[in-house]
Amino acid sequence: MTTKVPKTQEAYVFTEYGGADTQEHQTIDVPEPGSSELLVKVHAAGVNPVDWKVREGWLRPQLDPPLPVPLGREVAGTVAAVGRDVEGFSIGDEVFGNVGPTAGGYAEYAIVTAAESAAKPVQISWEDAATLAVSACTARDALLQLDLQEGQVLLVNGIAGGVGVFAAQIARDRGLTVVGTASGKDKALAESLGAVHVTYGDGVEGRVRALFPDGVDGVLDLAGGAGLRAVAGLASRPGKVVTTADADTADEVGGAMVTRDRGTAVLAEVAALVADGKASPLVRETFPLARAGEALAAVEQGHAHGKVVITVP
Ligand SMILES: NC(=O)c1ccc[n+]([C@@H]2O[C@H](COP(=O)([O-])OP(=O)(O)OC[C@H]3O[C@@H](n4cnc5c(N)ncnc54)[C@H](OP(=O)(O)O)[C@@H]3O)[C@@H](O)[C@H]2O)c1
């Protein structure tokens, strides 16, 4: 199969490291896939806190693409070109996955790393598929690391965000009791996930201990900083605190960062949970590419409920 790929495309890029004022719409070249990469015609792009962290330059030791580059680290779309060493993917395949290190997802075309991509199950929408590689797979990795058993209690600190909603559903599916911190406005959301809701902020440890006097068996923190310090003491055993948000505070409280596995097998495992109806990323807001700045602003303010997705015609 062949597909006609244009030379240029519309994208939402950042032009230098810094704040939201470095973002703009540009017409840029459609990139060529490297030998282990795929070029994907993007149908939907997930929006994550990491997108603005990359723009701010916080990840430069690991991610330092030539600028301007589109924002965004995950997409779902149709394969438009295949790198010469790639096996298992063909032009026309419907896929989702992690964007390559020198590329971005808020665009009509994106480069994904083949080994960090997977086939999109037909039951899953483009919008849902675009959210799985970052937050849903992180939730899966965190639970693997905590290694809790059926009947044990998991605290999800920040249950209403992208990672939290997915973590709660996987945990519930495994027979864990889930207690989730969120602001008061997200009580109904937490309860809809089968979790016991506790409001975060001053006194949170006492509120959890009022319900679980012996504390909890594991803490998955998605807030970092003071939010992590406030709940770390609830873990009944050392080593049962993991965070996605803050390596320094994790060290301070005897916890650990979540170790990521971005590979195809994990993507397929998480997609199967969605296809089987066991979990949903809860996509709450979609924005067309022309409004990508609003999509990122909605996430950057830090009070997400479920996922925000950019759709691309
Ligand atoms: N290392 C990785 O691979 C990886 C992957 C994914 C995510 N992350 C990181 O993990 C963090 C969470 O990601 P996400 O996608 O879930 O973010 P998100 O969708 O933006 O959600 C953040 C959630 O945190 C809640 N929150 C804010 N302050 C809190 C506090 N003090 N205590 C408890 N909850 C609080 C917010 O709830 P309210 O609206 O109720 O305030 C919001 O629902 C981010 O820092 C992200 O960069 C890392």
Side-chain angles (χ1 to χ4, degrees), residues 157-251:
N157 193 35
I159 197 170
V163 180
V165 296
F166 215 87
Q169 294 170 85
I170 303 176
R172 185 192 58 192
D173 185 55
R174 293 189 187 159
L176 303 181
T177 296
V178 181
V179 51
T181 71
S183 56
K185 68 180 168 25
D186 285 326
K187 184 173 192 292
L189 171 61
E191 290 176 351
S192 75
L193 299 168
V196 179
H197 168 262
V198 172
T199 307
Y200 67 71
D202 282 352
V204 63
E205 177 165 358
R207 286 191 289 282
V208 175
R209 284 207 188 273
L211 299 165
F212 301 94
D214 298 330
V216 300
D217 298 295
V219 172
L220 167 55
D221 168 71
L222 307 167
L228 169 53
R229 279 187 211 100
V231 297
L234 285 161
S236 54
R237 278 194 288 146
K240 290 292 183 185
V241 178
V242 298
T243 180
T244 59
D246 183 349
D248 291 343
T249 309
D251 277 351

Side-chain angles (χ1 to χ4, degrees), residues 8-159:
T8 61
Q9 60 164 333
E10 298 308 306
Y12 193 62
V13 306
F14 67 102
T15 56
E16 55 188 290
Y17 289 102
D21 58 340
T22 67
Q23 300 167 189
E24 63 185 39
H25 291 274
Q26 279 193 4
T27 302
I28 61 169
D29 288 345
V30 174
E32 299 230 342
S35 58
S36 59
E37 296 176 328
L38 307 171
L39 177 70
V40 169
K41 167 70 191 82
V42 177
H43 299 305
V47 183
N48 292 285
V50 70
D51 302 349
W52 64 260
K53 293 179 183 180
V54 170
R55 184 203 67 214
E56 293 281 347
W58 294 8
L59 278 80
R60 275 181 92 172
Q62 306 100 294
L63 271 181
D64 200 5
L67 305 184
V69 67
L71 292 130
R73 304 302 314 148
E74 61 179 347
V75 295
T78 306
V79 175
V82 179
R84 70 171 181 278
D85 296 336
V86 172
E87 291 176 6
F89 293 99
S90 305
I91 290 173
D93 286 354
E94 296 187 347
V95 300
F96 68 101
N98 291 283
V99 166
T102 59
Y106 301 3
E108 293 177 288
Y109 287 84
I111 296 290
V112 299
T113 309
E116 297 183 356
S117 306
K120 181 184 84 64
V122 287
Q123 305 94 316
I124 302 182
S125 67
W126 291 115
E127 289 82 0
D128 280 2
T131 70
L132 300 181
V134 177
S135 47
C137 287
T138 301
R140 174 266 183 204
D141 292 342
L143 285 166
L144 185 75
Q145 201 165 330
L146 281 170
D147 191 26
L148 300 182
Q149 308 305 313
E150 190 173 345
Q152 291 191 307
V153 181
L154 169 71
L155 174 73
V156 180
N157 193 35
I159 197 170

